[in-house]
Each structure stands twice: as C-alpha cells, then as structure tokens.
Amino acid sequence: METIKQTTQLSKRITRMAESATIKMAQLARDLKAQGHPVISLSLGEPDFDTPQHIKDAAVKALADGYTKYTPVPGLIELREAICTKLKRDNGLEYSPNQIVVSNGAKQCIANLSLALLDEGDEVIIFTPYWVSYREIMRLGGGNPVHVNAGIDQDFKVSARQLAEAITPKTRMLIFSSPCNPTGSSFTPEELAELVAVLEEHPQIIVVSDEIYEYINFTSQGHVSIASFDSIKDRTVVVNGFSKGFAMTGWRLGYLAAPEWIAKACTKMQGQFTSGANAFGQMAAAYALTSNMKPTQDMKVAYQRRRDLLIDALSKIDGFKVNTPPGAFYLFPDIHAFFGKADVDGNVIENADDFCEYILHHAHVAIVTGTAFGEPNCVRFSYAASDEILKEAASRIAKAVAKLK
Ligand SMILES: Cc1ncc(COP(=O)(O)O)c(C=O)c1O
C-alpha cells in the first residue's frame, strides 16, 4: 500500500523524466564487477586522469586563506575575470564578468538556461546524436525537443539545410556540443558559418553552444566557437566547464558566457536553487585557467593516441563501421550489421540495447547504447582509459561478436 501511495505522489515532472542511460550502464557494470566478473567500463564520460596537482594545491591554499563562505551567486569576481581572460586568449571573444555565470557543472548551466528561457511548448532544436541530458533538461523547462539527426555518413554533423528545415515559428533555442558527446565530431569554421547563415534569418533563436570538450580537439586548427560570429553573438550562450579539460568532474564547476540579460536571468534562477558554486573550488578553477596548461595538453595527446588505437582495433572487427572523430574522448561506431544475428542460445540481437547487453555479459565490457543519444544504430565507447585496457576491451569484443551467427 505504502509503495502505491508514494508512486502516485511523485510529480508528473519526475515521472516523465528518463533515467540517464550512461549512469544506468555504469551501475550495471559495477553490479557485475561486485559479482566477481572482470568488467571493463568504457561507459562513463569521465577522464581517467586525476586533477593536475597545481590545481589541487590552489584549492588547499584557498581553503587556508578562508574561502569557505558563500560567494556572489554568479561566482567570485576572480574566477569570472579569469574566464573572461580565457575566452579572449583561447577564443578571441570579448566578455565582461557581468556576462559570466559560474555554476555546479556545465550541467547546471544548461538547466539554468532551460528554466530561465523556455516556456511550455517552446521548441528546442537538438542536434542528434546528442548528449543524454539535453533532452530531459529541456523538457524540464517546458521545452519540446526537436531532434535533427545526422548519421555516421555525414560524420554525425547536421547540415545547414537540415537546420533550416527544422525551424518553425515556435523554435526558441538550438543546442549542440562541439566537439560532441557522444560522437567526437566537431564543426569546422566553414560548417559553423553555414549554420550561422541560417540562424541569421531567425533572430528569435537562442544558440546554446556547449564547448566543454574544447581542449580535447585534435585538429591542427583547434577549437572555434560559434560565438565568434558577430552576427549572432548577441543571442549565443557559450557553455563550458572544468570537468573534461582539467579532469575536474568531481569539483562540479562549469560556467556560461552570455548576453547580460541571459546571465542575469540565470543568476536569478541559481540564486533560488544553489546560491552558486563552492568558494575554494572557484579560486582553484581561476588558477587552472590562468596557469600551467601543459597537463591539459598532455591529456589531449594521450586521448588522441587512445583514439587511434581504438579505431584501429575496432575497424578490424567485421560489423563495426567507425569514423575518425576529431575531438572529445568517444567513438560512436555504427553496429547495425549485428542486428538480426543470434548468440549461441538463439537470443537475437534486435537493436543497440541488446548489443550492449550482449557485450556486457559476454565480453564483460560496458559501453552505452546509441538509443540513449538518439541514434539507435550506434553504440558509444568512452576511450578515457589506458592503452592496455582499451586493447583488452577490443580483443574481448572481437571474440564475443565472432560467436554471433
Ligand atoms: C556535452 C556535455 N556537456 C556537459 C556535460 C556536463 O559537464 P559537467 O560535469 O561540467 O556538469 C557533459 C558531461 O558528460 C557533456 O558530455
């Protein structure tokens, strides 16, 4: 009786929210591991590196210096100034501290935007494959997700024509990540210019550019932000954070750079929710942005080596269609060639969910179904793991899929 009552008292909001598939897969992998199976987890989007020592030291110093109190809601001025310096240095973008809002991770920045900018029924174009949380966060704010899909044959990058076709009078926002989770794809400046040309025709659309993988970009050109196009900068929001480039996932620190009216609205929202991010972490984050970037560059070099290693290993397995993504730390191979095949007990792989389950149980490797990212023909590998682990994972997968008939 108690259970029924509790269930009916849950809000409609939480009832219609999907659970994060990446977190679910990580839990399944932990459960199998706890039963004694040698599980390799390539399911979470988390660097395997530790936070660089000089950033940890800065946090310890900030604690000793008394940074233990509430900070201004949008963040300490020291950090907001450091973010402005970084945006100018790395991206050629001019912002002032009153256009910056620091939050508990980039995830909260996106939640602030959804809650502050959307009304019930507003359409949000989400370039698909998309990061798992966009859809649910946008729905939380009342938004209607509109998925615009690009498959592996277009390197998972939505074209300007596709964008133009998806826009309606109700479109209020566009959100995408570049470099992208889950595909590792990254828009070139030319491709961004084509998207911008479409957006110029629709001034009601706010562009949310999630650039959290900025520092994990293997192109010689490096990262280019869509905010560097002046014609749309006054309605573009850059979201970024410390989790990926500085291996600071557990610190929960992210930020957005936006027109002042949007920054103010997000600050108002955050003022009622969390009052802002932790004080000593913010001081360390300011130091991270303005001090030695070598550890960040070294991590990028390691990711690129691992990407090449995993591409090489997976492309030798029949049935895997792999592209070469220029950023982030994910591969997103198309595995639909396995659909319709059966394991030794006659269980048929109907879709990517079945494939991941088969790989988890028969290769003891945890990867995530593409369904969670809006692309049911693919699966996501996170290669934020050592070379040895990646080699072992690929070898186990090759043996497991060879048994599918
Ligand atoms: C594209 C993208 N945006 C945002 C986030 C969230 O980052 P944070 O840890 O700063 O909340 C992630 C984390 O996986 C991500 O992949």
Side-chain angles (χ1 to χ4, degrees):
M1 286 302 279
E2 186 63 8
T3 314
I4 290 168
K5 190 168 159 235
Q6 283 174 5
T7 309
T8 53
Q9 284 185 354
L10 288 174
S11 69
K12 291 191 185 72
R13 194 178 305 111
I14 197 69
T15 311
R16 46 175 220 186
M17 184 183 276
E19 195 186 342
S20 162
T22 47
I23 292 176
K24 195 170 156 188
M25 191 43 137
Q27 186 54 46
L28 274 178
R30 273 195 288 272
D31 292 348
L32 262 188
K33 222 175 202 167
Q35 291 163 24
H37 297 291
V39 176
I40 294 175
S41 185
L42 304 181
S43 61
L44 266 187
E46 177 156 49
D48 57 324
F49 298 106
D50 196 2
T51 305
Q53 190 59 43
H54 68 283
I55 304 175
K56 290 189 193 175
D57 292 343
V60 172
K61 178 170 183 313
L63 264 179
D65 290 346
Y67 284 90
T68 55
K69 309 278 190 205
Y70 289 129
T71 72
V73 172
L76 284 167
I77 188 68
E78 290 88 340
L79 177 53
R80 285 181 291 139
E81 278 175 352
I83 290 167
C84 292
T85 303
K86 175 257 175 250
L87 287 165
K88 178 85 187 136
R89 178 194 68 203
D90 297 346
N91 313 104
L93 296 172
E94 293 284 354
Y95 284 97
S96 58
N98 56 1
Q99 296 179 281
I100 309 295
V101 184
V102 175
S103 301
N104 293 289
K107 202 175 229 178
Q108 195 199 352
C109 298
I110 297 163
N112 282 340
L113 289 167
S114 167
L115 294 167
L117 296 176
L118 297 179
D119 277 321
E120 208 61 42
D122 283 344
E123 290 179 2
V124 180
I125 293 181
I126 303 179
F127 284 176
T128 303
Y130 55 85
W131 177 47
V132 275
S133 295
Y134 291 156
R135 184 180 158 80
E136 295 309 322
I137 293 176
M138 292 306 153
R139 276 161 36 109
L140 190 61
N144 261 350
V146 174
H147 297 286
V148 185
N149 210 306
I152 195 164
D153 293 332
Q154 41 186 122
D155 270 334
F156 303 111
K157 287 189 279 188
V158 169
S159 68
R161 185 184 51 77
Q162 287 179 289
L163 170 63
E165 283 170 5
I167 294 172
T168 77
K170 286 188 178 170
T171 310
R172 175 82 173 127
M173 194 184 275
L174 160 69
I175 185 165
F176 65 93
S177 59
S178 178
C180 173
N181 179 0
T183 65
S185 294
S186 167
F187 286 106
T188 64
E190 295 73 28
E191 289 161 345
L192 287 176
E194 286 170 18
L195 296 173
V196 169
V198 173
L199 291 164
E200 281 169 357
E201 304 295 312
H202 302 278
Q204 85 280 11
I205 300 177
I206 292 163
V207 179
V208 179
S209 174
D210 182 343
E211 304 181 12
I212 197 157
Y213 294 95
E214 166 183 15
Y215 291 130
I216 312 173
N217 185 318
F218 314 129
T219 61
S220 51
Q221 195 159 35
H223 178 74
V224 177
S225 172
I226 196 167
S228 51
F229 291 84
D230 287 341
S231 61
I232 59 159
K233 187 175 174 227
D234 66 352
R235 54 193 166 98
T236 296
V237 183
V238 175
V239 173
N240 208 325
F242 298 86
S243 289
K244 315 293 172 170
F246 298 95
M248 289 170 67
T249 44
W251 295 58
R252 309 309 305 124
L253 283 169
Y255 60 89
L256 60 76
E260 199 174 340
W261 64 275
I262 294 181
K264 263 193 183 152
C266 290
T267 302
K268 187 172 169 189
M269 179 60 64
Q270 179 158 297
Q272 297 293 9
F273 260 72
T274 62
S275 300
N278 85 82
F280 53 92
Q282 289 188 49
M283 285 304 280
Y287 189 63
L289 287 178
T290 51
S291 62
N292 180 14
M293 294 287 288
K294 180 139 190 326
T296 293
Q297 286 148 8
D298 290 346
M299 289 187 243
K300 182 185 85 169
V301 171
Y303 289 133
Q304 186 166 5
R305 188 186 63 243
R306 294 158 173 192
R307 177 200 67 169
D308 293 343
L309 185 158
L310 194 59
I311 288 177
D312 186 51
L314 293 183
S315 48
K316 285 183 185 141
I317 305 175
D318 259 358
F320 274 81
K321 185 170 176 188
V322 191
N323 71 339
T324 301
F329 42 63
Y330 306 106
L331 285 192
F332 201 58
D334 185 315
I335 47 83
H336 85 275
F338 295 104
F339 299 171
K341 295 197 172 190
D343 68 14
V344 285
D345 300 321
N347 302 309
V348 178
I349 308 269
E350 306 271 13
N351 50 40
D353 296 31
D354 292 349
F355 184 80
C356 291
E357 208 170 297
Y358 176 78
I359 294 299
L360 180 63
H361 290 286
H362 295 264
H364 292 137
V365 177
I367 51 176
V368 187
T369 170
T371 316
F373 309 97
E375 174 45 271
N377 286 327
C378 295
V379 292
R380 190 190 76 173
F381 286 75
S382 164
Y383 55 80
S386 72
D387 298 19
E388 292 65 38
I389 288 179
L390 294 173
K391 279 182 202 155
E392 171 65 16
S395 142
R396 289 192 200 173
I397 290 172
K399 282 183 201 132
V401 299
K403 291 183 196 145
L404 291 171
K405 295 288 175 247

